[in-house]
Amino acid sequence: MTSEPVRHASRPDGEDHHGSGHHPRKATWRVAASATLHCLTGCAIGEVLGMVVGTALGWPDAPTIVLAVALAFFFGYALTLVGLRRAGVDWRKALRLALAADTLSILVMEIVDNGVMIAVPGAMDAGLTSGLFWGALAFALLVAFLVTTPVNKWIIGRGRGHAVVHAYHH
């Protein structure tokens, strides 16, 4: 899903983004890491909750991963929606912006972190009291952060993703 480039974004007060004296964020590694950390926060909440529920209920890997991914998307979008709503953006536009800003980032993050969890022998079958389960999950989220940061840098450099959402945080 794509979003409108920053140069066309307008603030909730109707003023054009560039006309307001603000400039779009540069695609620096720091900005990309910040956007990825924001995304990781929501994803991690959903991912951990999904893995904990699936593991506690003794579910097989596939339903546990489906639950974790669904919750990661839910919480990832929710964090962005809260910020946009606080900035005065109406629900419809906020939802559209959140979907456009976060979908690719969350998708990459989920593919990587679940891939790592599956790749670590025994991690998906380890119990909640196992260091293997928690260590693998922490490692998976770290790898997902490292892989997703360059993706977000590229997206922001194109004036999309979190660059668009940033226009509403002034």
Side-chain angles (χ1 to χ4, degrees):
M1 185 173 270
T2 60
S3 60
E4 193 174 307
V6 170
R7 66 182 180 275
H8 298 293
S10 61
R11 294 184 356 182
D13 59 9
E15 197 172 313
D16 183 87
H17 181 68
H18 281 292
S20 67
H22 299 287
H23 300 286
R25 298 191 93 169
K26 284 181 155 181
T28 65
W29 286 107
R30 182 177 182 170
V31 169
S34 176
T36 306
L37 187 58
H38 176 272
C39 182
L40 179 68
T41 302
C43 287
I45 292 168
E47 188 72 26
V48 170
L49 184 59
M51 289 288 176
V52 166
V53 169
T55 301
L57 295 175
W59 287 1
D61 294 353
T64 298
I65 290 172
V66 168
L67 177 63
V69 169
L71 290 173
F73 272 93
F74 173 80
F75 284 103
Y77 291 140
L79 287 180
T80 298
L81 283 169
V82 166
L84 289 168
R85 291 292 295 148
R86 283 186 183 154
V89 179
D90 68 79
W91 274 108
R92 186 180 190 131
K93 188 168 191 168
L95 183 58
R96 186 177 56 80
L97 287 167
L99 290 171
D102 293 338
T103 299
L104 183 58
S105 182
I106 295 171
L107 181 63
V108 170
M109 196 165 288
E110 286 306 297
I111 289 168
V112 172
D113 71 44
N114 284 291
V116 170
M117 283 299 289
I118 291 168
V120 174
M124 292 294 293
D125 297 321
L128 294 178
T129 59
S130 167
L132 175 60
F133 174 82
W134 292 105
L137 188 53
F139 178 67
L141 292 170
L142 173 64
V143 172
F145 175 82
L146 294 174
V147 170
T148 308
T149 299
V151 172
N152 279 329
K153 185 177 186 300
W154 177 76
I155 294 167
I156 292 166
R158 296 185 68 224
R160 302 187 185 286
H162 283 270
V164 175
V165 172
H166 177 72
Y168 294 90
H169 293 292
H170 291 288

